[in-house]
Amino acid sequence: MDVVNQLIFLGGGLAVISILATRLSARLGAPLLLIFLVLGMLAGEDGIGGLHFSNFRLTFAVGSVALAIILFEGGLKMPRDVARLVGPPAFTLATLGVLITAAIVALAAVWFGGRTPQEGLLVGAVLASTDAAAVFMLLHGKGQAINRRVTGTLEMESGINDPVAVLLTLICIELVGHPDLSVGWFVLKEFLLELVGGVVFGIGGGLALRVMLERLTLSLGLYPVLAAASVLTVFAGANLAGGSGFLAVYLMGVMLASAPHRAQQVIGRFLDGLAWLAQITMFLLLGLLVTPSALVADLGFALAIAFGLIFIARPVAVYLCLTPFRFDWREKGYIAWVGLRGAVPIFLASIPILAGLPNAQSYFNVAFVTVLASLLIQGWTASRAGRFFGLEVPDQPHDEDYPDLGLGAAGTRELCGIRIGARARALTLDYNKLPLPEGSHLLSVIRGNHPLDHFTGKRPAIADYVIALAPAEDIINLQRLFGERQQDKVAELVGFGEFVFAADTPARDLALLYGLPVDSLGKRDGEVFQPIWDETLGDLLHQRLGKTLVVGDRLELGDVELVVREIKDGRVSSVGLELETRRKHVQAIRLVDWLLRQTGMRP
Amino acid sequence: MEIEDLITPAHVVARLKATSKKQVLQELAKRAAELTGLHERAVFDVLLERERLGTTGVGNGIAIPHGKLPEMKTLFGLFARLEESVDFDSIDEQPVDLIFLLLAPEGAGADHLKALARVSRLLRDRGVCEKLRGTDQPEALYALLTDSTASNAA
């Protein structure tokens, strides 16, 4: 019994420490997953914990469950419109991109490590997928919001490329084990089976789960448990049938999110917590599993592979895959840089060990060092990269940011409670004079422990608790009004437009007021040149940029820029006028300009 | 383009009293008319027309109302600190208490933009705004507005 209790104590204790350590992550700016991994290593045999753990089979089992949960949750969080926006580029990156990455890494492995082509390809396959977990966590972490085209592509790519990498790894293991195998037919059959199986199980499972959630009346707490249990069933079922379980659960998440149902919120919350637990468990376990002192043997080779992956393979793959899709070079640069590797490569690298391949430990070591390098180099600089490439956009409201009072019955509006922060803007005006967003109402103000009688004529005070009914998208505006002053990031964002106009403002009005180069504006229809006079700013942006627009897209007009501030139903609804073009603000552009001047390519 | 090129100490109103956006614009038009000899009504109309296109409340309690007038000869700036902040339909829905008015001649294309950009950059500096809110002496306000020119001339 003592052993059991010791194990429970250890497991629980490590999880608690990991969660406490998330605060450290915020302070240090270190990627969270890196901290979990390091904690696991510290607890392990070369660390202060001294725990011996080398059970690859158990790690594989736990890792599978954890990854299934994480991928399902990733699918759940993928907003519907994102798939429409970035579906094709993300799919290309997840398939062709994985192959290109694996091939380049394979070359490096053959070159620097003297591996056989098959072994080299296995190294490449293991490392080829970006980790949904690492990327999701980085992107959903508060702090920074990035252009949706970019985040959507990264998230969706990392959701779909795991199944592809798993498949490629399994095929490579067969190849290394049986070098005489005829590749063509085997690979094709295997690939089709995994793909079809994954799609069928994913869509079928998603539909079945949706029907169950709609038809069954259960205790509220059981809905998320039903969802989680269904996920594991579909995952293992698809695998047993020869399909890709990872693909299946990701699609299942997408399916479930695609139509509203009554348990949406409770499942979302529960799965969010469960995904965290899965992350922590997986990284702690992988940290425990590794023997840092054994990494030294392969360190030189591993570092060469890691650098080749980060600085050559990933950028080349991104460049080749995204060039047909009208991505700006800065967007490509960011996507190339933030292709983080997470738990998946380490997890995949344990398969050669389980399969008993020769030299199997070295795959594991290479994967571990690469992931560590990726988290350190790319993870740590990810938020700086967003600024460097000038892709930051105003932060969107997150539902975690305000206490949800759980009364979903208020029509399209939501109840929220906000505590007035120090130096809040609201402190300067009486409650009835505050500029509330349209459709918002203050219901009550709690001061101390008591509701304030007739609060409307009174002056807000710090620590008042304001209960308001507001449209969901305006809650962030209420927070700006009542919350601590540093929350208002919109106006702080340099280069997002000094002045704001509705998209239906005639372009002519702006052209006259700011002396924009009108002559160059307009579209050529055969021989006839139509000036912009009757166009709205929205039309102008849609026509000139010619792609599905996202917040943060911009159009340079002489000395100024128009920037998309808001999108509604696929159309621009609000436009910012930036008085100075971004050449002055964006470091990446300044760097390129400087390089062009230095090399004499630009005067 | 520097702030000194836009305002003199006489162009600083330390305690403007107004209770609405419209009243703020009226007061500004009145002061601008006194200082330039323009018609108060003409200035007010230009400002109001610009606000109809979209607010000039740029957030963080700042507004930069502006417009072009054919009668103007040079760029004209006027800074006002409101006694009490008013709702200005700002982009962040915050009430406004610091205002920089900018009027430009009809033909001032690039200069108009440069001046607007300069003012906007100045008032985006949180430190400067805190200091501007902390004093109601016109001389001190003018010094703050122009002082930061050196440090902020990136």
Side-chain angles (χ1 to χ4, degrees):
Chain A
M1 285 308 276
D2 271 358
V3 179
V4 172
N5 280 323
Q6 280 169 6
L7 281 177
I8 297 174
F9 181 79
L10 267 174
L14 273 175
V16 169
I17 294 173
S18 302
I19 292 166
L20 293 180
T22 58
R23 299 298 308 156
L24 193 68
S25 162
R27 196 157 308 158
L28 290 179
L32 211 46
L33 300 179
L34 182 67
I35 290 187
F36 297 157
L37 199 60
V38 169
L39 272 175
M41 288 166 75
L42 282 177
E45 47 202 301
D46 286 338
I48 45 175
L51 288 175
H52 280 272
F53 178 77
S54 54
N55 191 336
F56 281 87
R57 195 165 293 277
L58 177 67
T59 309
F60 184 74
V62 173
S64 299
V65 171
L67 210 58
I69 295 287
I70 292 164
L71 281 172
F72 174 72
E73 209 248 351
L76 265 188
K77 270 193 186 156
M78 174 67 51
R80 259 174 292 174
D81 52 332
V82 170
R84 226 174 311 136
L85 181 68
V86 297
F91 186 77
T92 311
L93 268 180
T95 49
L96 189 63
V98 163
L99 289 178
I100 297 173
T101 310
I104 296 177
V105 171
L107 278 180
V110 172
W111 219 324
F112 295 113
R115 302 294 199 270
T116 67
Q118 286 93 335
E119 288 171 347
L121 205 56
L122 180 52
V123 175
V126 162
L127 297 177
S129 86
T130 56
D131 193 324
V135 175
F136 288 150
M137 195 169 288
L138 206 66
L139 300 179
H140 285 296
K142 288 178 194 170
Q144 201 182 26
I146 301 285
N147 166 346
R148 289 249 294 178
R149 182 179 302 113
V150 170
T151 51
T153 306
L154 276 169
E155 288 183 282
M156 204 164 162
E157 177 207 6
S158 64
I160 322 174
N161 68 9
D162 289 331
V164 179
V166 172
L167 180 58
L168 197 60
T169 304
L170 293 177
I171 291 171
C172 288
I173 286 177
E174 289 291 325
L175 291 179
V176 174
H178 313 87
D180 49 337
L181 207 70
S182 87
V183 178
W185 174 235
F186 165 74
V187 171
L188 194 68
K189 196 184 76 180
E190 195 70 3
F191 182 78
L192 284 178
L193 193 62
E194 294 263 352
L195 189 73
V196 173
V199 171
V200 167
F201 270 81
I203 292 180
L207 284 177
L209 181 56
R210 227 156 70 186
V211 170
M212 282 198 282
L213 291 173
E214 272 160 23
R215 299 272 166 84
L216 291 177
T217 307
L218 299 172
S219 147
L220 195 62
L222 276 181
Y223 288 114
V225 180
L226 176 67
S230 309
V231 168
L232 296 184
T233 313
V234 168
F235 172 72
N239 281 337
L240 286 174
S244 166
F246 294 112
L247 181 60
V249 292
Y250 181 75
L251 287 178
M252 203 174 154
V254 174
M255 287 292 299
L256 195 62
S258 67
H261 55 85
R262 57 181 164 181
Q264 203 155 23
Q265 206 174 18
V266 57
I267 289 182
R269 294 268 153 104
F270 180 79
L271 258 298
D272 187 58
L274 210 54
W276 272 103
L277 182 65
Q279 298 287 358
I280 293 174
T281 311
M282 183 145 77
F283 274 85
L284 279 178
L285 214 53
L286 293 173
L288 270 176
L289 187 65
V290 73
T291 311
S293 53
L295 292 178
V296 180
D298 289 307
L299 196 60
F301 175 58
L303 283 177
I305 295 292
F307 280 85
L309 174 72
I310 293 172
F311 293 105
I312 299 169
R314 171 74 181 171
V316 170
V318 168
Y319 182 79
L320 290 178
C321 291
L322 292 187
T323 296
F325 294 106
R326 280 178 174 250
F327 275 68
D328 192 282
W329 65 269
R330 291 172 297 106
E331 294 173 333
K332 279 187 264 192
Y334 183 81
I335 291 173
W337 187 248
V338 187
L340 257 80
R341 315 288 137 164
V344 173
I346 308 180
F347 168 76
L348 289 180
S350 67
I351 305 180
I353 295 179
L354 292 176
L357 290 192
N359 225 349
Q361 186 68 37
S362 105
Y363 297 103
F364 187 81
N365 292 347
V366 169
F368 199 90
V369 171
T370 304
V371 168
L372 216 52
S374 171
L375 287 176
L376 269 172
I377 299 174
Q378 298 170 303
W380 215 313
T381 57
S383 65
R384 246 164 295 169
R387 208 164 312 130
F388 178 79
F389 287 112
L391 296 172
E392 283 175 293
V393 297
D395 207 1
Q396 297 298 307
H398 293 288
D399 48 354
E400 309 97 278
D401 289 351
Y402 61 93
D404 171 17
L405 300 181
L407 293 173
T412 56
R413 289 183 290 174
E414 293 187 36
L415 268 178
C416 65
I418 303 170
R419 194 168 294 283
I420 296 188
R423 304 193 304 135
R425 303 264 345 141
L427 295 171
T428 57
L429 289 175
D430 290 348
Y431 275 111
N432 55 1
K433 291 196 182 132
L434 291 172
L436 295 177
E438 211 164 302
S440 306
H441 292 280
L442 302 185
L443 302 181
S444 178
V445 172
I446 296 168
R447 184 169 292 173
N449 287 320
H450 304 286
L452 210 54
D453 290 330
H454 312 295
F455 65 86
T456 47
K458 295 186 175 149
R459 185 60 61 107
I462 293 173
D464 277 4
Y465 193 71
V466 180
I467 297 176
L469 190 63
E473 63 272 19
D474 274 323
I475 288 175
I476 191 156
N477 290 321
L478 286 179
Q479 282 179 329
R480 287 203 195 100
L481 192 58
F482 295 116
E484 283 204 43
R485 195 83 77 83
Q486 46 267 50
Q487 276 191 338
D488 40 351
K489 291 184 182 136
V490 178
E492 260 174 46
L493 273 181
V494 175
F496 221 76
E498 274 89 353
F499 300 114
V500 178
F501 301 89
D504 56 10
T505 308
R508 151 188 42 194
D509 290 356
L510 253 68
L512 287 177
L513 185 57
Y514 297 107
L516 307 185
V518 237
D519 305 340
S520 69
L521 300 179
K523 55 177 175 183
R524 194 165 282 285
D525 190 8
E527 286 299 295
V528 192
F529 183 77
Q530 291 182 315
I532 61 160
W533 293 108
D534 295 323
E535 283 184 56
T536 66
L537 291 179
D539 292 339
L540 187 68
L541 281 162
H542 280 287
Q543 279 170 18
R544 294 284 292 250
L545 296 173
K547 55 186 173 188
T548 312
L549 297 180
V550 297
V551 172
D553 278 336
R554 42 187 79 226
L555 174 66
E556 209 169 310
L557 286 180
D559 294 329
V560 303
E561 273 179 347
L562 295 181
V563 47
V564 178
R565 287 187 71 98
E566 225 174 64
I567 301 264
K568 277 198 183 124
D569 304 325
R571 298 282 302 174
V572 178
S573 60
S574 170
V575 179
L577 174 78
E578 176 65 21
L579 296 169
E580 295 168 293
T581 60
R582 284 209 303 179
R583 301 201 167 272
K584 294 201 174 139
H585 304 306
V586 177
Q587 289 159 306
I589 299 180
R590 283 190 350 219
L591 181 68
V592 169
D593 279 352
W594 182 81
L595 285 174
L596 288 176
R597 277 198 307 275
Q598 291 302 307
T599 50
M601 291 166 77
R602 181 181 291 168
Chain B
M1 180 74 58
E2 298 303 344
I3 300 292
E4 289 101 317
D5 303 332
L6 303 172
I7 56 169
T8 68
H11 295 198
V12 173
V13 186
R15 281 187 298 190
L16 194 71
K17 276 199 186 100
T19 55
S20 70
K21 177 171 179 173
K22 188 175 167 209
Q23 213 181 345
V24 168
L25 296 178
Q26 275 167 341
E27 284 295 321
L28 291 173
K30 196 169 106 193
R31 311 276 168 136
E34 283 164 10
L35 288 162
T36 58
L38 294 166
H39 278 293
E40 182 183 332
R41 187 75 212 174
V43 177
F44 178 73
D45 285 347
V46 154
L47 295 178
L48 201 63
E49 202 179 318
R50 172 60 188 83
E51 295 300 324
R52 281 208 192 98
L53 282 180
T55 180
T56 59
V58 296
N60 293 324
I62 313 288
I64 311 177
H66 56 275
K68 279 184 178 173
L69 284 139
E71 302 86 358
M72 302 278 307
K73 295 277 181 301
T74 57
L75 286 166
F76 168 85
L78 176 72
F79 175 79
R81 187 179 157 283
L82 298 192
E83 194 123 273
E84 222 167 316
S85 35
V86 300
D87 181 7
F88 213 83
D89 304 322
S90 289
I91 54 173
D92 61 353
E93 320 237 351
Q94 305 294 354
V96 156
D97 60 350
L98 298 178
I99 296 183
F100 203 114
L101 168 81
L102 197 69
L103 298 174
E106 195 62 69
D111 278 350
H112 183 205
L113 292 175
K114 273 187 200 146
L116 276 174
R118 185 67 196 84
V119 169
S120 151
R121 206 171 342 122
L122 169 74
L123 295 178
R124 200 149 43 198
D125 185 325
R126 292 291 178 104
V128 171
C129 291
E130 288 301 314
K131 285 184 201 149
L132 290 171
R133 290 191 171 104
T135 176
D136 58 1
Q137 298 305 309
E139 304 78 25
L141 288 170
Y142 181 77
L144 282 169
L145 288 167
T146 49
D147 241 19
S148 55
T149 304
S151 65
N152 204 31

